[in-house]
Amino acid sequence: MDSQNYAQSLVSVIIPTHGGARNVERLVHIAKQVALATEVIIVCAGLPPHAADSEYVWGAKVVPASEQATASECRAIGAQHAQGNVLLFLEEGITLPLGSLKKYTAALLKGYDLVLSAGGRVLTTKGKLSSERCAYALLNHLLGQKQLGSASLEKAPFALNRKALEAIGQHHLHVPAAALVRAVQKALAITLVTSGSTGQAARKRSAANQPLAKKKALIFQEHGEAIQLLLQDKDVRGALPDGERHRILVQAPGLLHLRSVFYQESRKKEGDEWGAKRKERPKRTRKRAQSRKKRSH
């Protein structure tokens, strides 16, 4: 197999981790079975820079990252080192069955560019929908991707092909909300996959991934910036229709009342329909006065 065909069939599996991680060796072992040609890249937060590029552990390439790096920043670093045509991003704190991981690469083979994990209704201890999930769902709604629910690039597993990576930009993956906006703007084909993780597994993942977890305030800030990016691409009305209102009339004081804007009437109708409406009111008033006068007699 020549190098070009090898790159096209190669699956790059990227795993963010930190120095004290436990489950990584088992995850690497499963990841290497996702495809016939697989490279595994471990991006380790806090690893000294001199350990870069040349170090391999459990048959996986190890890449250093800042000690304060978040999981999404580690994924962006891993994407820069990936050589495969398919990139699969995992989380260190949870191990999924091999069959579940293959669902992501299979969806890409069907023609999709970006495959997200379906976001369930993750509840807090008080039985309310988590505020982070609400932010994910709001962004998807504004993107016109309501079918994505609360799915997000904040949460792995997810997968994308080389076309999607180039459209989004490798360095933009460190801000998942903005990366999703770019994916929709580039008209990438997006779908969902149910990973099959249980609620118990999700809790374990949350606890195990604390060293790489992103603060809630930062998630909200990034989603606010992503929404601003979306509005800049469309307009202040988010590309929603304006109801054929003649807003220019509001800027012409003395000509028409503001309510004429909502009647959808133009300047040409000023003396006809709108003027006629203003004349009808005194006429109705006179009729009511005459009727009351007759009743009093």
Side-chain angles (χ1 to χ4, degrees), residues 15-25 42 44-45 58 92-93 208-209 211-212:
I15 307 172
T17 186
H18 66 286
R22 295 182 179 180
N23 201 32
V24 179
E25 182 178 1
I42 301 174
C44 186
W58 309 306
E92 66 174 16
N209 205 33
L212 298 178

Side-chain angles (χ1 to χ4, degrees), residues 233-291:
D233 178 63
K234 294 185 175 181
D235 53 44
V236 294
R237 291 185 57 81
L240 295 174
D242 204 25
E244 299 179 0
R245 296 170 181 155
H246 298 275
R247 292 187 176 270
I248 190 173
L249 299 179
V250 182
Q251 302 173 4
L255 293 180
L256 290 175
H257 190 277
L258 178 61
R259 292 193 318 175
S260 65
V261 176
F262 296 93
Y263 275 113
Q264 301 181 9
E265 292 167 356
S266 64
R267 297 173 185 267
K268 294 181 180 179
K269 296 182 179 180
E270 179 184 357
D272 299 329
E273 295 182 15
W274 178 254
K277 289 174 183 175
R278 288 186 295 178
K279 292 176 183 178
E280 285 178 1
R281 185 174 179 181
K283 185 177 179 180
R284 290 195 300 268
T285 304
R286 288 196 300 271
K287 286 185 178 180
R288 292 194 191 101
Q290 292 173 358
S291 178

Side-chain angles (χ1 to χ4, degrees), residues 20-82:
R22 295 182 179 180
N23 201 32
V24 179
E25 182 178 1
R26 183 183 175 196
L27 188 54
V28 169
H29 176 71
I30 295 175
K32 291 181 73 68
Q33 303 175 59
V34 170
L36 293 176
T38 306
E39 69 167 354
V40 180
I41 301 172
I42 301 174
V43 183
C44 186
L47 189 70
H50 64 266
D53 298 341
S54 60
E55 185 169 341
Y56 281 78
V57 177
W58 309 306
K61 182 178 183 179
V62 180
V63 178
S66 167
E67 188 173 358
Q68 291 76 33
T70 63
S72 55
E73 290 171 337
C74 289
R75 292 176 194 132
I77 293 172
Q80 294 175 0
H81 290 80

